[in-house]
């Protein structure tokens, strides 16, 4: 069991001085898997890793204080825990815990859920940074309405089509994230601390339907190539900025001419 889980978590976050470190979410989850989980999984069970990862998420975000703990850390399959769905193979493909009072940082172990399609943790008290890695194949990431800081990783998977990061405290330039997500359809970045300009690479998001950038420290003007997408066959219908900072004659709602 330990050998399999050590491929997911840093051993230093699980053990200290040769003993399980129950002061860390990883150590608490390992202790639970080994000694407290009434499901008593075989070390070769295919669900061992995902059950451990969800336990890490629970401990990392103060699960005891969630508004609804429905069946979490009980003997039933993790696919039956509230907010969790699995595919026909029994692999976790959805985590949706909006407004559950999650308080803490999103653990890096989330990226090891290889079948995860949807990560919905909006309207909680999550802090720290967005994990630098998420699984290839994830399509929807909703982390809006939290207290996340730092920059948006340029290493997010190209499979993402909906990214909701609005109403956080994220900062930095948009070049990296926009240039690396060509399949994006819904991009919600409003009400953060992003700076500099809206990059020309936004035009590479050929399938973009919604792009919201208001409530940031962006300036300059909307690239002409992006404006050419509005009203065309691209389907781009909502494009919003702070009109007093960013010149945009194609935005909706419209910006009056300066």
């Amino acid at each position: 069991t330990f050998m399999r889980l050590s491929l997911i978590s840093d051993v230093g976050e699980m053990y200290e001085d040769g003993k399980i470190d129950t002061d860390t979410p990883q150590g608490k989850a390992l202790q639970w898997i080994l000694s407290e989980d009434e499901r008593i999984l075989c070390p070769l069970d295919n669900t061992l890793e995902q059950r451990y990862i969800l336990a890490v998420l629970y401990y990392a975000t103060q699960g005891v204080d969630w508004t609804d703990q429905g069946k979490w850390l009980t003997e039933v399959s993790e696919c039956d825990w509230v907010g969790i769905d699995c595919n026909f193979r029994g692999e976790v493909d959805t985590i949706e815990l909006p407004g559950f009072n999650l308080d803490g940082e999103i653990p890096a172990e989330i990226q090891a859920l290889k079948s995860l399609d949807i990560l919905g943790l909006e309207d909680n008290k999550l802090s720290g940074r967005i994990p630098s890695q998420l699984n290839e194949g994830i399509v929807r990431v909703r982390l809006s309405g939290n207290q996340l800081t730092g920059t948006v990783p340029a290493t997010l998977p190209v499979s993402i089509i909906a990214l909701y990061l609005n109403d956080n405290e994220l900062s930095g330039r948009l070049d990296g994230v926009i240039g690396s997500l060509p399949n994006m359809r819904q991009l919600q970045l409003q009400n953060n601390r992003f700076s500099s300009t809206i990059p020309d690479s936004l035009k590479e998001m050929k399938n973009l339907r919604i792009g919201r950038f208001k409530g940031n420290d962006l300036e300059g003007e909307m690239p002409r190539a992006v404006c050419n997408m509005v009203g065309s066959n691209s389907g781009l219908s909502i494009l919003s900025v702070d009109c007093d900072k960013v010149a945009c004659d194609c935005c909706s709602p419209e910006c009056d001419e300066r």
Side-chain angles (χ1 to χ4, degrees):
T1 297
F2 169 72
M3 291 301 296
R4 290 178 66 184
L5 299 184
S6 66
L7 298 176
I8 298 173
S9 292
D10 185 335
V11 174
E13 294 178 332
M14 302 165 71
Y15 278 84
E16 183 177 29
D17 297 329
K19 298 179 181 179
I20 295 177
D21 186 356
T22 55
D23 289 332
T24 68
Q26 293 78 13
K28 290 176 181 177
L30 179 61
Q31 178 71 29
W32 177 75
I33 283 283
L34 294 176
S35 305
E36 301 168 24
D37 185 5
E38 295 180 4
R39 198 167 181 82
I40 312 177
L41 295 180
C42 165
L44 299 179
D45 194 294
N46 290 334
T47 66
L48 177 67
E49 287 95 339
Q50 68 181 24
R51 198 167 173 87
Y52 165 76
I53 293 167
L54 292 178
V56 172
L57 174 64
Y58 179 89
Y59 287 117
T61 58
Q62 309 302 317
V64 68
D65 294 323
W66 290 1
T67 56
D68 184 358
Q69 300 170 17
K71 298 182 180 179
W72 276 71
L73 304 196
T74 67
E75 74 281 359
V76 304
S77 166
E78 61 278 5
C79 298
D80 294 324
W81 294 354
V82 66
I84 304 299
D85 281 322
C86 296
N87 59 27
F88 69 94
R89 294 184 296 271
E91 300 163 341
V92 172
D93 63 9
T94 301
I95 300 176
E96 291 199 281
L97 299 168
F100 271 58
N101 197 41
L102 276 68
D103 188 350
E105 298 188 10
I106 303 171
E109 285 80 3
I110 286 288
Q111 63 88 25
L113 293 173
K114 299 304 183 184
S115 296
L116 191 64
D117 292 326
I118 300 172
L119 179 63
L121 303 177
E122 63 269 41
D123 300 323
N124 284 294
K125 299 177 183 177
L126 296 172
S127 57
R129 292 176 171 266
I130 298 171
S132 59
Q133 299 286 339
L134 292 172
N135 64 296
E136 293 294 337
I138 194 168
V139 292
R140 291 180 175 82
V141 178
R142 301 196 304 270
L143 301 175
S144 55
N146 282 290
Q147 300 158 21
L148 297 171
T149 56
T151 59
V152 179
T155 51
L156 292 178
V158 298
S159 54
I160 295 177
I161 64 172
L163 183 62
Y164 289 66
L165 300 179
N166 52 286
D167 299 284
N168 279 288
E169 299 174 22
L170 297 165
S171 59
R173 298 168 61 97
L174 296 179
D175 308 61
V177 59
I178 285 181
S180 63
L181 298 172
N183 298 310
M184 189 64 62
R185 296 181 184 177
Q186 297 184 35
L187 183 62
Q188 308 266 15
L189 300 179
Q190 67 271 28
N191 301 324
N192 279 287
R193 298 177 181 177
F194 295 116
S195 58
S196 192
T197 60
I198 296 175
D200 190 62
S201 55
L202 183 61
K203 70 179 186 295
E204 301 303 327
M205 293 184 174
K206 304 294 186 184
N207 298 313
L208 190 65
R209 304 290 188 269
I210 299 173
R212 299 186 189 274
F213 302 96
K214 293 185 70 171
N216 284 290
D217 295 321
L218 298 167
E219 56 187 11
E221 61 183 303
M222 184 65 66
R224 177 48 48 188
V226 176
C227 280
N228 291 340
M229 295 167 59
V230 179
S232 67
N233 293 331
S234 73
L236 179 57
S237 59
I238 297 178
L239 192 60
S240 64
V241 297
D242 291 306
C243 296
D244 60 332
K245 300 177 183 177
V246 179
C248 182
D249 60 9
C250 64
C251 287
S252 175
E254 296 180 358
C255 289
D256 296 328
E257 290 188 12
R258 298 195 214 187

